[in-house]
């Protein structure tokens, strides 16, 4: 018996798009059933309230915030990239056309008569002097005793090992000479 007709007005606001639905749409009819109750005495005021039809208008406001997903952002960036690529291609094409027009309009320069066609040989400024090989002693010194040689690099590391194994071998082979004399 108790059916309600409800109408809703919905406002949706978003960061990027704000759409307002101004039309009022009727909501679904809601049916409720009550368990049977024993009737008690009703006052005249209560009876009058129960007989009035209940038509209420409900206004519902929603606030929605829209954040685009990474895929949506990527698609938007691709669209911007494609637009800028088209503009770039058009600019390059216009530059090519204007460069072609300029080269056609320019008068041809007179050529000088030379034997091989060029006044100067290509690469004449880039010539390098041959490097003389150092003497044998200098090469030997650099390889074995110089500041960047293997001996100078390894000596600080190997020094402690050399001292240790030298002392062990001295005690092993000449230990009898290092011993204390016999008691008198």
């Amino acid at each position: 018996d108790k059916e309600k007709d409800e109408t809703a007005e919905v406002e949706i606001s978003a960061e990027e798009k704000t759409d307002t639905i101004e039309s009022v749409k009727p909501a679904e009819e809601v049916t409720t059933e009550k368990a049977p109750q024993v009737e008690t005495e009703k006052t005249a005021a209560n009876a009058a309230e129960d007989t009035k039809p209940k038509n209420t208008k409900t206004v519902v406001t929603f606030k929605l915030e829209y954040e685009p997903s990474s895929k949506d952002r990527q698609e938007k960036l691709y669209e911007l990239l494609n637009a800028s690529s088209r503009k770039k291609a058009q600019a390059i094409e216009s530059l090519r056309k204007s460069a072609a027009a300029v080269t056609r309009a320019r008068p041809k320069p007179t050529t000088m008569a030379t034997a091989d066609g060029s006044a100067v040989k290509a690469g004449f400024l880039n010539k390098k002097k041959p490097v003389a090989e150092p003497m044998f002693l200098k090469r030997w010194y650099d390889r074995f005793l110089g500041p960047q040689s293997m001996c100078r690099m390894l000596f600080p590391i190997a020094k402690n090992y050399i001292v240790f194994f030298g002392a062990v071998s001295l005690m092993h082979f000449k230990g009898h000479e290092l011993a204390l004399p016999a008691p008198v």
Side-chain angles (χ1 to χ4, degrees):
D1 273 41
K2 296 195 175 194
E3 296 178 351
K4 282 186 177 180
D5 291 333
E6 295 180 357
T7 58
E9 180 177 300
V10 179
E11 286 184 16
I12 299 173
S13 63
E15 289 180 22
E16 293 184 12
K17 284 186 173 179
T18 305
D19 294 334
T20 304
I21 301 174
E22 295 178 0
S23 63
V24 177
K25 298 180 181 178
E28 296 179 15
E29 294 181 356
V30 179
T31 306
T32 58
E33 295 182 17
K34 283 190 172 182
Q37 296 179 354
V38 178
E39 297 253 346
T40 58
E41 292 182 33
K42 292 186 180 180
T43 62
N46 287 343
E49 287 178 13
D50 289 342
T51 59
K52 288 182 183 177
K54 292 186 179 181
N55 286 339
T56 59
K57 184 177 182 180
T58 305
V59 177
V60 179
T61 305
F62 293 98
K63 182 178 179 182
L64 299 176
E65 294 181 3
Y66 171 73
E67 292 185 24
S69 67
S70 61
K71 190 173 185 180
D72 291 339
R73 280 187 251 134
Q74 186 179 17
E75 287 177 5
K76 184 69 173 173
L77 289 174
Y78 279 137
E79 289 173 8
L80 292 172
L81 178 65
N82 290 338
S84 63
S85 296
R86 276 186 244 116
K87 287 180 184 178
K88 179 182 172 184
Q90 290 172 352
I92 289 173
E93 189 62 33
S94 67
L95 283 174
R96 283 187 186 141
K97 288 179 182 177
S98 63
V102 167
T103 55
R104 276 187 247 123
R106 184 184 303 162
K108 299 209 176 207
T110 59
T111 59
M112 296 184 347
T114 57
D116 61 344
S118 63
V120 180
K121 291 183 181 180
F124 77 100
L125 291 176
N126 297 329
K127 288 184 182 176
K128 295 181 181 174
K129 296 179 182 177
V131 179
E133 191 173 317
M135 296 184 343
F136 171 75
L137 291 176
K138 173 75 172 135
R139 284 183 288 157
W140 185 84
Y141 172 77
D142 288 340
R143 186 175 295 155
F144 295 108
L145 299 174
Q148 298 298 321
S149 66
M150 186 64 75
C151 292
R152 287 241 182 133
M153 296 290 182
L154 292 179
F155 184 73
I157 298 168
K159 175 180 65 176
N160 293 332
Y161 294 104
I162 293 170
V163 169
F164 173 74
F165 287 112
V168 167
S169 61
L170 178 68
M171 285 183 235
H172 179 72
F173 294 108
K174 298 290 185 175
H176 60 282
E177 295 176 5
L178 297 174
L180 292 174
V184 188

